[in-house]
Amino acid sequence: MKASGNALPYLRSATSPHASAERWLGVIWLLAVATFGCWLVGSRALDIGSDTETYAGFFESLDQGVPETRLEPGFAYLSYGLRLLGLGVPGYQAVLFALLLVGVAIAVRIHHRAFPPTQAYPTLLCASLLLLFISPMFVNASINAIRQGLAAPLVFAALLCFQQRRWWGFALLGALAASLHVSSLLYLVCAPALLLKPNLLRTLAALAFVAYVSGLSMKVVGAVSPTLYTTVMEYTANDNYRAGVRIDFAVFTIFWYVVVLAVSPWVQPAARKPLQDGASVYLVMVVPFFVIGWGYFSNRYLLPGWLAISLILAAACCYSRVAPLRQPLLLGAGLAVACGVLFFYVSRGIVI
């Protein structure tokens, strides 16, 4: 098949010896960044992160086997396996962060295969880590909502597999995500919505948004399932957190979807549909919030979607028609700066 005149220069660039050397340098740089992140997150003090001390205590209690716990089996036995290896708490924290990065790498790889082969996978992973490292939500997934953080990129990857009709991938990644955090099931059961046409999906998401901000979804759940309503409202009740309808969270969430739509004309034509497909996955991932996101700490329902948006915008950057934005050296330099931002966030426990 003859390549188009516009795509051929990009394809030659991506497959040239020079590009291959750049790719390997990129891999080495990514490994160095991963090592830095594991050291940073692993060596944090126990008072950095609201749940750090709790997880450390659970890990240290595993010397006699896995006790009865509310934690999901996948996470509990993962922790037990790491304890059997003789790791201390810093090593445990570092390995959990390394596994979070592995989950991100898997999600980026599955996302990458939907795009044209004009940009190397390490470049897209570099851009994704850049945007994640400057996101307070990613720090929250690293030092607070650790179990949900581990599951979040796997949820995104599973939904991408569903969208790509890779059913085994969806089942395996979905099961792994649910074994780490049961809330993953909330997003996975919404996967059939990806079979809808984009315009219909947008309409349903808009209706869900309106139902949420108007308080209708809260009233409907309270009338249809008082037990679910009570469960949501009593979860980690806290006087320092404002429960109820959170219009700020809802608008912030929709804002990022609008951003993706706004930048899509600026990406290469062949990448626009995959980018919009990723945005559709994002819409599906925020639906649970619009249904039950009015309890305490309701932003936890948005964490997977807020993390996924960094990966989607990274793809928009790598396939941008603005050449500097997809330049590997520039992205690598940006990732170096992002490492400094991550250090600042983690050392001060700054999260959203």
Side-chain angles (χ1 to χ4, degrees):
M1 181 180 293
K2 184 177 179 180
S4 68
N6 291 332
L8 188 55
Y10 295 115
L11 190 57
R12 284 173 178 166
S13 174
T15 58
S16 67
H18 178 68
S20 180
E22 281 189 347
R23 189 177 299 116
W24 278 109
L25 286 174
V27 170
I28 293 172
W29 173 231
L30 289 171
L31 290 175
V33 167
T35 302
F36 164 78
C38 291
W39 165 79
L40 174 63
V41 175
S43 62
R44 74 185 187 274
L46 296 183
D47 61 346
I48 299 295
S50 60
D51 294 337
T52 299
E53 191 168 359
T54 300
Y55 282 113
F58 170 73
F59 181 67
E60 291 179 328
S61 73
L62 296 174
D63 290 331
Q64 305 301 320
V66 179
E68 289 188 12
T69 175
R70 66 177 182 84
L71 303 183
E72 289 79 3
F75 182 82
Y77 282 98
L78 167 64
S79 301
Y80 181 57
L82 295 176
R83 189 62 174 173
L84 290 178
L85 293 177
L87 296 179
V89 170
Y92 176 58
Q93 294 179 156
V95 170
L96 290 181
F97 185 75
L99 292 174
L100 172 57
L101 294 182
V102 169
V104 170
I106 291 172
V108 173
R109 181 67 187 91
I110 294 172
H111 198 208
H112 178 259
R113 68 189 179 195
F115 285 85
T118 56
Q119 191 63 274
Y121 162 66
T123 303
L124 181 56
L125 182 56
C126 178
S128 298
L129 291 178
L130 191 167
L131 294 182
L132 284 173
F133 279 17
I134 64 176
S135 167
M137 282 75 81
F138 180 72
V139 182
N140 188 30
S142 304
I143 66 176
N144 282 348
I146 295 175
R147 289 168 17 250
Q148 189 177 18
L150 286 171
L154 299 177
V155 169
F156 183 53
L159 292 175
L160 286 172
C161 285
F162 187 96
Q163 188 179 60
Q164 297 169 9
R165 308 299 193 266
R166 298 175 183 267
W167 310 120
W168 279 110
F170 169 73
L172 292 175
L173 290 170
L176 180 58
S179 76
L180 295 171
H181 201 268
V182 70
S183 69
S184 302
L185 297 174
L186 291 173
Y187 314 98
L188 298 175
V189 298
C190 295
L194 292 170
L195 300 175
L196 300 174
K197 293 183 178 180
N199 286 339
L200 180 55
L201 178 59
R202 291 190 194 106
T203 300
L204 291 178
L207 292 174
F209 172 82
V210 172
Y212 175 79
V213 298
S214 66
L216 179 61
S217 63
M218 184 177 180
K219 294 177 181 178
V220 169
V221 171
V224 174
S225 180
T227 301
L228 175 60
Y229 178 86
T230 301
T231 300
V232 171
M233 288 301 295
E234 291 182 351
Y235 179 82
T236 60
N238 191 313
D239 292 337
N240 297 322
Y241 187 92
R242 179 167 60 87
V245 174
R246 295 297 302 263
I247 297 178
D248 50 348
F249 289 161
V251 171
F252 183 76
T253 298
I254 293 300
F255 166 78
W256 288 110
Y257 178 74
V258 173
V259 167
V260 175
L261 294 184
V263 302
S264 60
W266 294 92
V267 303
Q268 298 165 17
R272 288 174 191 166
K273 185 180 184 304
L275 182 69
Q276 292 170 359
D277 287 344
S280 294
V281 173
Y282 172 74
L283 278 185
V284 169
M285 294 179 75
V286 301
V287 165
F289 171 79
F290 292 142
V291 177
I292 56 173
W294 24 261
Y296 290 93
F297 298 101
S298 58
N299 54 335
R300 68 188 184 276
Y301 299 119
L302 291 168
L303 180 62
W306 284 352
L307 295 182
I309 204 67
S310 291
L311 309 188
I312 296 167
L313 289 176
C317 181
C318 288
Y319 290 90
S320 173
R321 292 190 295 167
V322 181
L325 292 179
R326 60 175 189 267
Q327 172 54 245
L329 291 178
L330 184 61
L331 291 172
L335 181 54
V337 175
C339 286
V341 176
L342 181 67
F343 179 86
F344 176 79
Y345 283 162
V346 173
S347 61
R348 286 165 175 75
I350 297 175
V351 300
I352 290 181

